C-alpha cells in the first residue's frame, strides 16, 4: 500500500474531481475518504464529497457534509443552495426553502433567485 502524504492527497482530490465530472460519484467518495481522514479540516474536500454523495443519491451523508461546510463557512452560497437541493430531493420542502433563500440572499445569481422564488415577476 502506498505511503500517505500531502502530494498523494492532492492527487486523490484532483482525481475525485475528475471522477465526479465523469459521473462516478462513488469512486470520488472513496478517494475523498482518505483525504478527509488525513485532513478533516479541509473544507474543499468535504464540499466535493458532499457533492459526490448528492450525485450518488446518498442524501443523508450529503446533508451532513453540506451542514459541516456551512458550520465552517456560513456565507457559502453554493453550499446553502446544494443543501437546499438535498432537502428538496429528500422531500423536505420547508428546510429546502430556508436554504434556497439564504443562498439567494448571499449571492443573487439568477438560479438561486429562481429557486428561492424571489423572481415573482416570472
Amino acid at each position: 500500500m502506498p505511503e500517505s502524504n500531502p502530494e498523494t492527497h492532492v492527487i486523490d482530490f484532483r482525481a475525485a474531481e475528475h471522477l465526479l465530472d465523469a459521473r462516478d460519484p462513488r469512486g470520488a467518495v472513496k478517494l475523498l475518504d482518505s483525504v478527509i481522514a488525513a485532513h478533516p479540516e479541509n473544507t474543499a474536500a468535504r464540499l466535493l464529497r458532499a457533492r459526490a454523495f448528492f450525485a450518488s443519491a446518498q442524501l443523508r451523508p450529503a446533508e451532513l457534509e453540506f451542514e459541516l461546510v456551512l458550520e465552517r463557512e456560513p456565507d457559502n452560497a453554493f453550499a446553502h443552495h446544494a443543501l437546499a437541493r438535498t432537502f428538496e430531493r429528500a422531500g423536505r420542502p420547508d428546510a429546502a426553502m430556508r436554504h434556497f433563500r439564504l443562498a439567494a440572499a448571499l449571492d443573487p445569481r439568477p438560479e438561486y433567485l429562481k429557486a428561492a422564488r424571489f423572481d415573482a415577476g416570472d
Side-chain angles (χ1 to χ4, degrees):
M1 182 171 187
E3 184 180 323
S4 179
N5 64 55
E7 286 178 6
T8 302
H9 298 145
V10 170
I11 291 167
D12 286 349
F13 180 87
R14 295 295 178 217
E17 287 179 318
H18 290 293
L19 286 173
L20 189 56
D21 289 343
R23 296 198 164 119
D24 182 4
R26 291 183 185 269
V29 167
K30 285 181 185 177
L31 286 177
L32 291 166
D33 285 345
S34 64
V35 174
I36 291 169
H39 306 281
E41 74 292 344
N42 188 316
T43 304
R46 289 193 175 272
L47 186 57
L48 187 60
R49 186 165 72 169
R51 290 177 48 220
F53 280 138
F54 180 84
S56 64
Q58 297 180 66
L59 301 181
R60 183 64 179 146
E63 176 186 337
L64 294 172
E65 287 289 351
F66 284 128
E67 287 176 339
L68 195 145
V69 168
L70 288 169
E71 283 177 20
R72 295 174 182 181
E73 298 178 1
D75 60 345
N76 186 322
F78 174 82
H80 279 290
H81 187 77
L83 179 58
R85 289 277 181 228
T86 305
F87 285 140
E88 183 179 62
R89 205 166 162 190
R92 297 169 59 193
D94 292 340
M97 187 52 62
R98 176 177 181 271
H99 287 279
F100 280 138
R101 291 191 170 192
L102 284 166
L106 290 165
D107 183 352
R109 293 177 191 220
E111 65 267 28
Y112 293 177
L113 292 170
K114 184 175 181 181
R117 299 189 188 133
F118 288 146
D119 61 342
D122 285 350

